[in-house]
Coordinates of all heavy atoms in Angstrom, one line a residue:
M1 N 27.1 -1.8 -17.9 CA 27.0 -1.3 -19.3 C 28.2 -1.9 -20.1 O 29.3 -1.8 -19.7 CB 27.0 0.2 -19.3 CG 26.7 0.8 -20.7 SD 25.0 0.7 -21.2 CE 24.2 2.0 -20.3
K2 N 27.8 -2.4 -21.3 CA 28.8 -2.9 -22.2 C 28.7 -2.2 -23.6 O 27.6 -1.7 -23.9 CB 28.7 -4.4 -22.4 CG 29.2 -5.2 -21.2 CD 29.3 -6.7 -21.5 CE 29.9 -7.4 -20.3 NZ 30.0 -8.8 -20.6
I3 N 29.8 -2.2 -24.3 CA 29.8 -1.5 -25.6 C 30.4 -2.3 -26.7 O 31.4 -3.0 -26.4 CB 30.5 -0.1 -25.5 CG1 30.3 0.8 -26.7 CG2 31.9 -0.2 -25.1 CD1 30.5 2.3 -26.5
C4 N 29.9 -2.2 -27.9 CA 30.5 -2.9 -29.0 C 31.7 -2.2 -29.6 O 31.6 -1.0 -29.8 CB 29.4 -3.1 -30.1 SG 30.1 -3.8 -31.7
P5 N 32.9 -2.8 -29.7 CA 34.1 -2.1 -30.2 C 34.0 -1.7 -31.6 O 34.8 -0.9 -32.1 CB 35.2 -3.1 -29.9 CG 34.6 -4.4 -29.9 CD 33.2 -4.2 -29.4
L6 N 33.1 -2.3 -32.4 CA 33.0 -2.0 -33.8 C 31.9 -0.9 -34.1 O 32.2 0.1 -34.8 CB 32.6 -3.3 -34.6 CG 33.7 -4.3 -34.5 CD1 33.2 -5.6 -35.1 CD2 35.0 -3.9 -35.2
C7 N 30.7 -1.1 -33.6 CA 29.7 -0.1 -34.0 C 29.4 0.9 -32.8 O 28.6 1.8 -32.9 CB 28.4 -0.8 -34.4 SG 27.6 -1.8 -33.1
H8 N 30.0 0.7 -31.6 CA 29.9 1.5 -30.4 C 28.4 1.6 -29.9 O 28.1 2.6 -29.3 CB 30.4 2.9 -30.7 CG 31.9 2.9 -31.1 ND1 32.9 2.8 -30.2 CD2 32.5 2.9 -32.3 CE1 34.1 2.7 -30.8 NE2 33.8 2.9 -32.1
T9 N 27.7 0.5 -30.1 CA 26.3 0.4 -29.6 C 26.4 -0.1 -28.1 O 27.2 -1.0 -27.8 CB 25.5 -0.5 -30.4 OG1 25.5 -0.1 -31.8 CG2 24.0 -0.5 -30.0
K10 N 25.7 0.5 -27.2 CA 25.7 0.1 -25.8 C 24.7 -1.0 -25.5 O 23.6 -1.0 -26.1 CB 25.4 1.3 -24.9 CG 26.6 2.3 -24.8 CD 26.2 3.7 -24.4 CE 27.3 4.6 -24.6 NZ 26.8 6.0 -24.8
F11 N 25.1 -1.9 -24.7 CA 24.2 -3.1 -24.3 C 24.2 -3.3 -22.8 O 25.0 -2.7 -22.1 CB 24.7 -4.4 -25.0 CG 24.7 -4.3 -26.5 CD1 25.7 -3.9 -27.3 CD2 23.5 -4.7 -27.2 CE1 25.7 -3.9 -28.7 CE2 23.4 -4.7 -28.6 CZ 24.5 -4.2 -29.3
E12 N 23.2 -4.2 -22.4 CA 23.1 -4.5 -21.0 C 24.4 -5.3 -20.6 O 25.1 -5.9 -21.4 CB 21.9 -5.4 -20.8 CG 20.6 -4.6 -21.1 CD 20.3 -3.5 -20.1 OE1 20.4 -3.7 -18.9 OE2 20.0 -2.4 -20.6
D13 N 24.6 -5.4 -19.3 CA 25.8 -6.2 -18.8 C 25.7 -7.7 -19.1 O 26.7 -8.3 -19.2 CB 25.9 -6.0 -17.2 CG 26.5 -4.6 -16.9 OD1 27.4 -4.2 -17.6 OD2 26.0 -4.0 -15.9
S14 N 24.5 -8.2 -19.2 CA 24.3 -9.6 -19.5 C 24.6 -10.0 -20.9 O 24.9 -11.1 -21.2 CB 22.8 -10.0 -19.2 OG 22.0 -9.1 -19.9
A15 N 24.7 -9.0 -21.8 CA 25.0 -9.3 -23.2 C 26.4 -9.6 -23.4 O 27.3 -9.1 -22.7 CB 24.6 -8.0 -24.1
E16 N 26.7 -10.6 -24.3 CA 28.1 -11.0 -24.6 C 28.6 -10.6 -25.9 O 29.7 -10.2 -26.1 CB 28.2 -12.5 -24.4 CG 28.0 -13.1 -23.0 CD 29.3 -12.8 -22.2 OE1 30.4 -13.0 -22.7 OE2 29.2 -12.5 -21.0
Y17 N 27.7 -10.7 -26.9 CA 28.1 -10.3 -28.3 C 27.1 -9.4 -28.9 O 25.9 -9.3 -28.6 CB 28.1 -11.6 -29.2 CG 29.2 -12.6 -28.8 CD1 29.0 -13.6 -27.8 CD2 30.5 -12.4 -29.3 CE1 30.0 -14.5 -27.5 CE2 31.5 -13.3 -28.9 CZ 31.3 -14.3 -28.0 OH 32.3 -15.2 -27.6
C18 N 27.6 -8.5 -29.9 CA 26.8 -7.6 -30.6 C 26.0 -8.4 -31.7 O 26.6 -9.1 -32.4 CB 27.7 -6.5 -31.3 SG 26.8 -5.4 -32.3
P19 N 24.7 -8.3 -31.7 CA 23.9 -9.0 -32.7 C 24.1 -8.6 -34.1 O 23.9 -9.3 -35.1 CB 22.4 -8.7 -32.3 CG 22.5 -7.5 -31.5 CD 23.8 -7.4 -30.8
K20 N 24.6 -7.3 -34.3 CA 24.9 -6.8 -35.7 C 26.2 -7.2 -36.2 O 26.4 -7.7 -37.3 CB 24.8 -5.3 -35.7 CG 23.3 -4.8 -35.8 CD 23.3 -3.3 -36.0 CE 23.3 -2.5 -34.7 NZ 23.2 -1.0 -35.0
C21 N 27.3 -7.1 -35.4 CA 28.7 -7.3 -35.8 C 29.2 -8.7 -35.4 O 30.2 -9.1 -35.8 CB 29.6 -6.2 -35.2 SG 28.9 -4.6 -35.2
K22 N 28.5 -9.4 -34.4 CA 29.0 -10.6 -33.8 C 30.3 -10.5 -33.1 O 31.1 -11.4 -32.9 CB 29.1 -11.7 -34.9 CG 27.9 -11.9 -35.8 CD 26.7 -12.5 -35.2 CE 25.5 -12.6 -36.2 NZ 24.2 -12.6 -35.5
A23 N 30.6 -9.2 -32.7 CA 31.8 -9.0 -32.0 C 31.6 -9.1 -30.5 O 30.5 -8.8 -30.0 CB 32.3 -7.6 -32.3
Q24 N 32.7 -9.5 -29.7 CA 32.6 -9.6 -28.3 C 32.6 -8.2 -27.7 O 33.4 -7.3 -28.0 CB 33.8 -10.4 -27.7 CG 33.6 -10.8 -26.3 CD 34.6 -11.8 -25.8 OE1 35.6 -12.1 -26.5 NE2 34.4 -12.3 -24.6
L25 N 31.6 -8.0 -26.8 CA 31.4 -6.6 -26.2 C 32.5 -6.3 -25.1 O 32.9 -7.2 -24.4 CB 30.0 -6.5 -25.6 CG 28.8 -6.8 -26.5 CD1 27.5 -6.7 -25.8 CD2 28.8 -5.8 -27.7
E26 N 32.8 -5.1 -25.0 CA 33.8 -4.6 -24.1 C 33.1 -3.8 -22.9 O 32.0 -3.3 -23.2 CB 34.8 -3.7 -24.7 CG 35.8 -4.4 -25.6 CD 36.7 -3.5 -26.4 OE1 36.5 -2.2 -26.3 OE2 37.6 -4.0 -27.1
D27 N 33.7 -3.8 -21.8 CA 33.1 -3.1 -20.6 C 33.2 -1.6 -20.9 O 34.2 -1.1 -21.1 CB 33.8 -3.5 -19.3 CG 33.1 -3.1 -18.1 OD1 32.0 -3.7 -17.9 OD2 33.5 -2.2 -17.4
F28 N 32.0 -1.0 -20.9 CA 32.0 0.5 -21.2 C 32.7 1.3 -20.2 O 33.4 2.3 -20.6 CB 30.5 0.9 -21.4 CG 30.4 2.3 -21.8 CD1 30.9 2.8 -23.0 CD2 29.7 3.3 -21.0 CE1 30.8 4.1 -23.4 CE2 29.6 4.6 -21.4 CZ 30.1 5.0 -22.6
E29 N 32.6 1.1 -18.9 CA 33.2 1.9 -17.9 C 34.7 1.8 -18.0 O 35.4 2.8 -17.8 CB 32.8 1.4 -16.5 CG 31.5 2.0 -16.0 CD 30.2 1.2 -16.4 OE1 30.2 0.6 -17.5 OE2 29.3 1.2 -15.7
E30 N 35.2 0.6 -18.3 CA 36.7 0.4 -18.4 C 37.2 1.2 -19.7 O 38.3 1.8 -19.6 CB 37.1 -1.0 -18.6 CG 37.4 -1.6 -17.2 CD 37.9 -3.1 -17.3 OE1 38.5 -3.4 -18.3 OE2 37.6 -3.8 -16.4
A31 N 36.5 1.2 -20.7 CA 36.8 1.9 -21.9 C 36.9 3.4 -21.7 O 37.8 4.1 -22.2 CB 35.8 1.7 -23.1
E32 N 36.0 3.9 -20.8 CA 36.1 5.4 -20.5 C 37.3 5.7 -19.6 O 37.9 6.7 -19.8 CB 34.8 5.7 -19.7 CG 33.8 6.5 -20.5 CD 32.7 7.1 -19.7 OE1 32.6 6.8 -18.5 OE2 32.0 7.9 -20.3
K33 N 37.6 4.8 -18.7 CA 38.8 5.0 -17.9 C 40.1 5.1 -18.7 O 41.0 5.8 -18.4 CB 38.9 3.9 -16.8 CG 38.1 4.1 -15.6 CD 38.2 3.0 -14.6 CE 37.1 3.0 -13.6 NZ 37.0 1.7 -12.8
E34 N 40.2 4.2 -19.7 CA 41.3 4.2 -20.6 C 41.5 5.5 -21.4 O 42.6 6.0 -21.6 CB 41.3 3.0 -21.5 CG 41.8 1.7 -20.9 CD 41.7 0.5 -21.8 OE1 41.8 0.6 -23.0 OE2 41.4 -0.6 -21.2
E35 N 40.3 6.1 -21.7 CA 40.4 7.4 -22.4 C 40.9 8.5 -21.5 O 41.6 9.4 -22.0 CB 39.0 7.7 -22.9 CG 38.7 7.2 -24.3 CD 37.3 7.5 -24.8 OE1 36.8 8.6 -24.5 OE2 36.6 6.7 -25.4
Q36 N 40.5 8.4 -20.2 CA 41.0 9.4 -19.2 C 42.5 9.2 -19.0 O 43.2 10.2 -18.8 CB 40.2 9.2 -17.9 CG 38.8 9.8 -18.0 CD 38.0 9.6 -16.7 OE1 38.4 8.8 -15.9 NE2 37.0 10.4 -16.6
K37 N 43.0 8.0 -19.1 CA 44.4 7.7 -18.9 C 45.2 8.3 -20.0 O 46.4 8.7 -19.8 CB 44.7 6.2 -18.8 CG 44.5 5.7 -17.4 CD 44.8 4.2 -17.4 CE 44.3 3.5 -16.2 NZ 44.4 2.0 -16.4
A38 N 44.6 8.4 -21.2 CA 45.3 8.9 -22.4 C 45.8 10.3 -22.2 O 46.9 10.7 -22.7 CB 44.4 8.8 -23.6
V39 N 45.1 11.1 -21.5 CA 45.5 12.5 -21.2 C 45.5 12.8 -19.7 O 44.5 13.2 -19.2 CB 44.5 13.5 -22.0 CG1 45.1 14.9 -21.8 CG2 44.4 13.2 -23.4
P40 N 46.6 12.4 -19.0 CA 46.6 12.7 -17.6 C 46.8 14.1 -17.2 O 47.2 14.9 -18.1 CB 47.8 11.8 -17.2 CG 48.7 11.7 -18.4 CD 47.8 11.9 -19.6
K41 N 46.5 14.4 -16.0 CA 46.6 15.8 -15.5 C 48.0 16.4 -15.6 O 48.3 17.5 -15.9 CB 46.2 15.9 -14.0 CG 44.7 16.3 -13.9 CD 44.4 16.5 -12.4 CE 42.9 16.9 -12.2 NZ 42.6 17.1 -10.8
S42 N 49.0 15.5 -15.4 CA 50.4 15.9 -15.5 C 50.8 16.4 -16.9 O 51.7 17.2 -17.0 CB 51.3 14.7 -15.1 OG 51.1 13.6 -16.0
F43 N 50.1 15.9 -17.9 CA 50.3 16.3 -19.3 C 50.0 17.8 -19.4 O 50.8 18.6 -20.0 CB 49.5 15.5 -20.3 CG 49.5 16.1 -21.7 CD1 50.6 15.8 -22.5 CD2 48.4 16.8 -22.2 CE1 50.6 16.3 -23.8 CE2 48.4 17.3 -23.4 CZ 49.5 17.1 -24.3
W44 N 48.9 18.2 -18.9 CA 48.4 19.6 -19.0 C 49.3 20.5 -18.1 O 49.6 21.7 -18.5 CB 47.0 19.8 -18.5 CG 46.1 19.0 -19.4 CD1 45.4 17.9 -19.1 CD2 45.7 19.3 -20.8 NE1 44.7 17.4 -20.2 CE2 44.9 18.3 -21.2 CE3 46.1 20.3 -21.7 CZ2 44.3 18.2 -22.5 CZ3 45.6 20.2 -23.0 CH2 44.7 19.2 -23.4
I45 N 49.8 20.0 -17.0 CA 50.7 20.8 -16.1 C 52.1 21.0 -16.9 O 52.6 22.1 -16.9 CB 50.9 20.1 -14.8 CG1 49.6 20.1 -13.9 CG2 52.1 20.7 -14.0 CD1 49.5 19.0 -12.9
A46 N 52.5 19.9 -17.6 CA 53.8 20.0 -18.3 C 53.6 21.0 -19.5 O 54.5 21.7 -19.8 CB 54.1 18.6 -18.9
L47 N 52.4 21.0 -20.1 CA 52.1 21.9 -21.3 C 52.1 23.3 -20.8 O 52.7 24.2 -21.4 CB 50.8 21.5 -21.9 CG 50.5 22.1 -23.3 CD1 51.2 21.3 -24.3 CD2 49.0 22.0 -23.5
L48 N 51.5 23.5 -19.6 CA 51.4 24.9 -19.1 C 52.8 25.4 -18.7 O 53.2 26.5 -18.9 CB 50.5 24.8 -17.8 CG 49.9 26.2 -17.4 CD1 48.8 26.6 -18.3 CD2 49.4 26.1 -16.0
G49 N 53.6 24.4 -18.1 CA 55.0 24.7 -17.7 C 55.9 25.1 -18.9 O 56.7 26.0 -18.9
T50 N 55.6 24.4 -20.1 CA 56.4 24.7 -21.3 C 56.0 26.1 -21.8 O 56.9 26.8 -22.2 CB 56.0 23.6 -22.4 OG1 56.3 22.3 -21.8 CG2 56.9 23.8 -23.6
F51 N 54.8 26.4 -21.8 CA 54.3 27.7 -22.3 C 54.9 28.8 -21.4 O 55.3 29.9 -21.8 CB 52.8 27.8 -22.4 CG 52.3 27.3 -23.6 CD1 51.5 26.1 -23.7 CD2 52.5 27.9 -24.8 CE1 51.0 25.6 -24.8 CE2 52.0 27.4 -26.0 CZ 51.3 26.3 -26.0
A52 N 54.9 28.6 -20.1 CA 55.5 29.5 -19.1 C 57.0 29.7 -19.3 O 57.5 30.9 -19.2 CB 55.2 29.1 -17.7
F53 N 57.6 28.6 -19.7 CA 59.1 28.7 -19.9 C 59.4 29.5 -21.2 O 60.3 30.4 -21.2 CB 59.6 27.2 -20.1 CG 61.1 27.2 -20.4 CD1 62.0 27.4 -19.4 CD2 61.5 26.8 -21.7 CE1 63.4 27.3 -19.7 CE2 62.8 26.8 -22.0 CZ 63.8 27.0 -21.0
I54 N 58.6 29.2 -22.3 CA 58.8 30.0 -23.5 C 58.5 31.5 -23.3 O 59.2 32.3 -23.8 CB 57.9 29.3 -24.6 CG1 58.4 27.9 -25.0 CG2 57.8 30.2 -25.9 CD1 57.4 27.0 -25.8
G55 N 57.4 31.7 -22.6 CA 57.1 33.1 -22.3 C 58.2 33.8 -21.5 O 58.5 35.0 -21.8
G56 N 58.7 33.1 -20.6 CA 59.8 33.6 -19.7 C 61.1 33.9 -20.6 O 61.8 34.9 -20.4
M57 N 61.4 33.0 -21.5 CA 62.5 33.2 -22.4 C 62.4 34.4 -23.3 O 63.3 35.1 -23.6 CB 62.7 31.9 -23.3 CG 63.2 30.7 -22.5 SD 64.8 30.9 -21.6 CE 65.9 30.7 -23.0
I58 N 61.1 34.6 -23.8 CA 60.9 35.7 -24.7 C 61.0 37.0 -23.9 O 61.6 38.0 -24.4 CB 59.4 35.6 -25.3 CG1 59.4 34.5 -26.4 CG2 59.0 36.9 -26.0 CD1 58.0 34.0 -26.8
L59 N 60.5 37.0 -22.7 CA 60.6 38.2 -21.8 C 62.1 38.5 -21.5 O 62.5 39.7 -21.5 CB 59.8 37.9 -20.5 CG 59.4 39.2 -19.7 CD1 58.2 39.9 -20.4 CD2 59.0 38.8 -18.3
L60 N 62.9 37.4 -21.2 CA 64.3 37.6 -20.9 C 65.1 38.1 -22.1 O 65.9 39.0 -22.0 CB 64.8 36.2 -20.5 CG 66.2 36.2 -19.7 CD1 66.0 36.7 -18.3 CD2 66.8 34.8 -19.8
Y61 N 64.7 37.6 -23.3 CA 65.3 38.0 -24.6 C 65.1 39.5 -24.8 O 66.0 40.2 -25.2 CB 64.7 37.1 -25.7 CG 65.2 37.5 -27.1 CD1 66.4 36.9 -27.6 CD2 64.5 38.4 -27.9 CE1 66.8 37.2 -28.9 CE2 65.0 38.7 -29.2 CZ 66.2 38.1 -29.6 OH 66.6 38.4 -30.9
K62 N 63.8 39.9 -24.6 CA 63.5 41.3 -24.8 C 64.2 42.2 -23.8 O 64.6 43.3 -24.1 CB 61.9 41.5 -24.7 CG 61.2 41.1 -26.0 CD 59.8 41.4 -25.9 CE 59.1 41.1 -27.2 NZ 57.6 41.4 -27.2
L63 N 64.3 41.7 -22.6 CA 65.0 42.5 -21.5 C 66.5 42.7 -21.8 O 67.0 43.8 -21.8 CB 64.8 41.8 -20.2 CG 63.5 42.1 -19.4 CD1 63.3 41.2 -18.3 CD2 63.5 43.6 -18.9
V64 N 67.1 41.6 -22.2 CA 68.6 41.6 -22.5 C 68.9 42.4 -23.8 O 69.7 43.3 -23.7 CB 69.1 40.1 -22.6 CG1 70.6 40.1 -23.2 CG2 69.0 39.4 -21.3
Y65 N 68.2 42.1 -24.9 CA 68.5 42.7 -26.1 C 67.9 44.2 -26.2 O 68.5 45.0 -26.9 CB 68.0 41.9 -27.3 CG 68.9 40.7 -27.5 CD1 68.6 39.5 -26.9 CD2 70.1 40.8 -28.3 CE1 69.4 38.4 -27.1 CE2 70.9 39.7 -28.4 CZ 70.6 38.5 -27.8 OH 71.4 37.4 -28.0
G66 N 66.9 44.4 -25.4 CA 66.3 45.7 -25.4 C 67.2 46.7 -24.7 O 67.3 47.9 -25.0
A67 N 68.0 46.2 -23.7 CA 68.9 47.1 -23.0 C 70.1 47.5 -23.8 O 70.6 48.6 -23.6 CB 69.4 46.3 -21.7
F68 N 70.5 46.6 -24.8 CA 71.7 46.9 -25.6 C 71.4 47.7 -26.8 O 72.3 48.4 -27.4 CB 72.4 45.6 -26.0 CG 73.1 45.0 -24.9 CD1 72.7 43.8 -24.3 CD2 74.3 45.6 -24.3 CE1 73.4 43.2 -23.2 CE2 75.0 45.0 -23.3 CZ 74.5 43.8 -22.7
M69 N 70.1 47.7 -27.2 CA 69.7 48.4 -28.5 C 69.2 49.8 -28.2 O 68.7 50.1 -27.2 CB 68.7 47.6 -29.3 CG 69.4 46.5 -30.0 SD 68.2 45.4 -30.8 CE 69.3 44.1 -31.4
Ligands
ZN101 ZN1 28.4 -4.0 -33.1

């Protein structure tokens, strides 16, 4: 499967150029893989870790300052 980078129309593997845009077609499977690379699993783990850290800091802040007030 191939895809046109301009109009995003899908074509057969044998096709080389888009008849509408005259643009060279890109491999559709490879384009999908690149999209998956854009957001790796480690990004979500890091995001979750950041939220857990902020939550922990808020909890610690409340514990420390709650004890003195
Ligand atoms: Zn096109």
Side-chain angles (χ1 to χ4, degrees):
M1 187 74 79
K2 284 187 176 181
I3 190 161
C4 173
L6 296 171
C7 65
H8 300 281
T9 307
K10 284 157 194 159
F11 294 94
E12 297 294 312
D13 283 320
S14 55
E16 288 286 322
Y17 294 92
C18 174
K20 277 190 273 180
C21 321
K22 313 288 179 206
Q24 194 167 7
L25 301 176
E26 287 175 356
D27 196 67
F28 182 61
E29 275 88 326
E30 266 184 31
E32 255 193 350
K33 273 178 199 171
E34 273 175 36
E35 269 180 40
Q36 283 178 339
K37 272 183 201 170
V39 186
K41 266 187 180 178
S42 56
F43 170 79
W44 299 109
I45 292 159
L47 195 77
L48 202 75
T50 306
F51 276 113
F53 177 77
I54 291 162
M57 288 301 280
I58 290 163
L59 201 75
L60 196 76
Y61 178 86
K62 279 188 177 179
L63 278 168
V64 170
Y65 288 93
F68 287 110
M69 281 175 189

